[in-house]
């Protein structure tokens, strides 16, 4: 015991260099601030975000239409004429700024995240929203307070925006009847109607420039494929769960397609004839059919997502069609319908603008990001799941 107690004890001193916590934390913070947000935003931003531009640009066109002088102005129509011209200018400027910002972001996405764009291009839902930016530009062009349809710049821009629509038509419509996995009955979903709307908007723009033959060409592409698509969706959507719950607001695109067809044919024929009225009545019927089924949208409304903007654009196009109907059909019923639909579309659009502004940080800069390519539905986007 004495020997054990007498054993010398050896002390080993180790010099540990002092490391400042700032030297560890700050570089990582700087990397997260400088490097992660751009890549996160580009990875999260997809073509489905152009729903916002679609809604704002169509609202600008609606406000311009309501501000145009009418031959026989009704008392309800004069309510909108009291709005100051500055309101329309602000709305059009907001739509232009939003569309420019989203277009720039998507161009950067194509440059730095091309693999995600490619997967979006081959996705049955994502490919349809590639029509959205070009539709938005065409609507914004029609509502422009600075350019006349007869100007060369107007016609040049129209051609520049219509060509991508025709290119996507060749790709999409060709696959519908030539490629087995891409046959229409296997790939059809409510967002497929956006491709039809693109052709109809192009037809309406061409008709307003006086290019009747080009307008009829675009209209024929849109209306024929709409008839085929409408029948296909009617046959397969009953009891089908192929559409994610968060995308159920896209059912309102059933309203947008016939409403836009009514507007396009009205521009081509020069008046709201029987064919245009039939398409408008069809959109009204579909609108009331959807409104009478609120449980269909119950789950998608529990948490805000960009998919909510799918409500605004169809309602605005329906309101636009109602204004043309009110011009042709004199009477209190037509003007009351126009007033109600216009108020609903304006209210929904501005409500979505406020909600989106309050949720913008969660939508685009959330820390918990999901790879949009790995998501089963590319266009579905919530505050925690992206596409």
């Amino acid at each position: 015991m004495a020997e054990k107690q007498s054993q010398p004890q050896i002390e080993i001193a180790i010099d540990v260099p002092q490391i400042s916590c700032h030297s560890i934390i700050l570089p990582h913070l700087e990397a997260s601030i400088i490097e992660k947000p751009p890549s996160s935003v580009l990875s999260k931003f997809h073509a489905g975000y152009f729903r916002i531009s679609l809604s704002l640009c169509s609202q600008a066109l609606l406000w311009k239409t309501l501000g145009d002088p009418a031959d026989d102005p009704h008392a309800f129509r004069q309510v909108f004429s009291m709005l100051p011209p500055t309101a329309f200018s602000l709305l059009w400027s907001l739509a232009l700024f939003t569309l420019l910002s989203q277009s720039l972001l998507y161009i950067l996405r194509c440059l730095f995240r091309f693999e995600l764009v490619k997967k979006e291009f081959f996705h049955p839902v994502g490919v349809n929203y590639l029509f959205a930016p070009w539709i938005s530009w065409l609507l914004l062009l029609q509502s422009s307070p600075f350019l006349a349809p007869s100007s060369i710049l107007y016609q040049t821009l129209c051609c520049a925006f219509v060509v991508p629509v025709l290119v996507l038509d060749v790709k999409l419509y060709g696959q519908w009847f030539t490629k087995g996995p891409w046959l229409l009955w296997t790939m059809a979903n409510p967002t497929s109607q956006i491709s039809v709307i693109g052709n109809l908007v192009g037809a309406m723009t061409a008709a307003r420039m006086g290019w009747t033959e080009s307008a009829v060409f675009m209209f024929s592409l849109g209306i024929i494929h709409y008839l085929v698509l409408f029948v296909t969706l009617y046959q397969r959507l009953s009891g089908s769960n192929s559409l994610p719950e968060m995308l159920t607001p896209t059912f309102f695109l059933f309203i947008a397609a016939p409403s836009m067809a009514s507007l396009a044919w009205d521009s081509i024929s020069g008046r709201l004839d029987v064919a245009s009225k039939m398409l408008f009545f069809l959109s009204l019927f579909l609108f009331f059919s959807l409104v009478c089924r609120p449980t269909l949208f119950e789950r998608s409304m529990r948490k805000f997502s960009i998919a909510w903007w799918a409500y605004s654009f169809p309602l605005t196009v329906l309101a636009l069609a109602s204004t043309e109907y009110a011009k042709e059909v004199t009477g209190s019923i037509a003007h009351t319908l126009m007033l109600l639909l216009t108020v609903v579309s304006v209210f929904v659009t501005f409500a979505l603008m406020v909600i989106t502004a309050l949720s913008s940080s969660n939508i685009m800069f959330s820390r918990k990001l999901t790879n949009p390519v790995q998501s089963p539905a590319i266009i579905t986007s919530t505050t925690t799941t992206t596409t």
Side-chain angles (χ1 to χ4, degrees), residues 6 17 42 85 100 132 146 165 188 199 205 236 257 290 293 307 322 330 382:
S6 62
L42 294 181
L100 281 174
F146 313 110
V165 174
N199 290 280
T205 309
R236 74 184 295 270
L290 292 173
R293 291 166 175 80
S322 69
T330 57
T382 63

Side-chain angles (χ1 to χ4, degrees), residues 134 138 141 151-167 202 205-206 209 211 214 218:
W134 311 111
L138 288 171
L141 181 63
S151 64
I152 298 178
L153 181 58
Y154 188 103
Q155 298 173 359
T156 303
L157 290 174
C158 176
C159 294
F161 301 146
V162 167
V163 168
V165 174
L166 294 176
V167 172
T205 309
M209 295 188 302
W211 295 3
S214 300
M218 296 292 294

Side-chain angles (χ1 to χ4, degrees), residues 200 254-264 279-280 283-284 314 317-319 321:
L200 297 174
F254 277 100
I255 304 170
S259 299
M260 189 58 70
S262 176
L263 291 170
L279 291 167
F280 172 65
S283 61
L284 271 181
V317 178
L318 180 61

